[in-house]
Amino acid sequence: LQPTLEEVRSWTHNFDKMMSNPDGRNIFREFLRSEYSEENLLFWLACEDLKNEKNMNVIEEKSRTIYEDYISVLSPREVSLDSQVREVVNRNLTEPNSNMYDEAQLQVYTLMHRDSFPRFLNSPVYKSLLQRRTSSTSET
């Protein structure tokens, strides 16, 4: 199921709405991939997944994987975090929990919202989607 014209239009004013829509996230991800910053969305999604986890063994495993994939300076998909947030994450690693990446996740979310999202709205990816939706909806 593709997003409706109304949904696609609503994203121009509402980053949160687009991020809470699986189609919106997929289209945004396609754009981020073209900008070589897809890891930001992947990190955000991994944190969302971790928040829903209740099993402590799985939480420990996932938190370590997130660290190795997105926080470690050795990772090719490292996300951009300031030193304070990085410090909090490193402290949390000693006792992992499902919300240990909240500050880091918020920082990455804010970065996507302020930095990538305005470019996304002006991108061929978004404009062609909007055009396809407009032409497939006969407006009177």
Side-chain angles (χ1 to χ4, degrees):
L1 190 72
Q2 291 293 319
T4 65
L5 176 61
E6 290 71 34
E7 283 176 313
V8 174
R9 278 190 180 149
S10 75
W11 299 341
T12 59
H13 311 293
N14 197 327
F15 181 67
D16 299 328
K17 193 173 226 173
M18 182 201 67
M19 287 292 284
S20 64
N21 180 307
D23 292 322
R25 282 197 308 268
N26 286 336
I27 293 157
F28 188 53
R29 180 176 175 179
E30 185 184 318
F31 167 75
L32 290 174
R33 195 175 298 133
S34 74
E35 286 210 327
Y36 304 100
S37 60
E38 179 186 19
E39 67 279 351
N40 290 327
L41 183 60
L42 295 175
F43 169 71
W44 185 83
L45 290 168
C47 292
E48 286 298 288
D49 182 48
L50 180 64
K51 283 181 190 176
N52 296 320
E53 191 52 63
K54 301 288 177 254
N55 180 321
M56 266 325 285
N57 293 333
V58 178
I59 288 172
E60 284 181 27
E61 191 181 310
K62 284 183 177 182
S63 62
R64 228 183 319 283
T65 302
I66 290 171
Y67 187 87
E68 288 164 10
D69 288 352
Y70 305 107
I71 309 295
S72 169
V73 290
L74 302 173
S75 172
R77 297 191 296 182
E78 182 191 1
V79 293
S80 178
L81 297 173
D82 68 36
S83 56
Q84 286 175 307
V85 169
R86 203 171 271 285
E87 219 172 275
V88 169
V89 167
N90 287 332
R91 267 200 314 270
N92 287 339
L93 265 184
T94 57
E95 290 181 43
N97 67 74
S98 58
N99 294 307
M100 66 177 280
Y101 289 109
D102 284 0
E103 281 186 65
Q105 186 186 20
L106 180 61
Q107 198 166 66
V108 167
Y109 189 84
T110 304
L111 175 78
M112 288 190 294
H113 188 191
R114 284 199 198 128
D115 196 47
S116 306
F117 187 59
R119 287 197 304 277
F120 167 70
L121 295 176
N122 289 310
S123 72
V125 172
Y126 180 74
K127 287 184 170 166
S128 74
L129 174 69
L130 194 56
Q131 193 175 6
R132 288 195 310 271
R133 288 295 156 263
T134 304
S135 58
S136 70
T137 310
S138 52
E139 295 184 336
T140 48

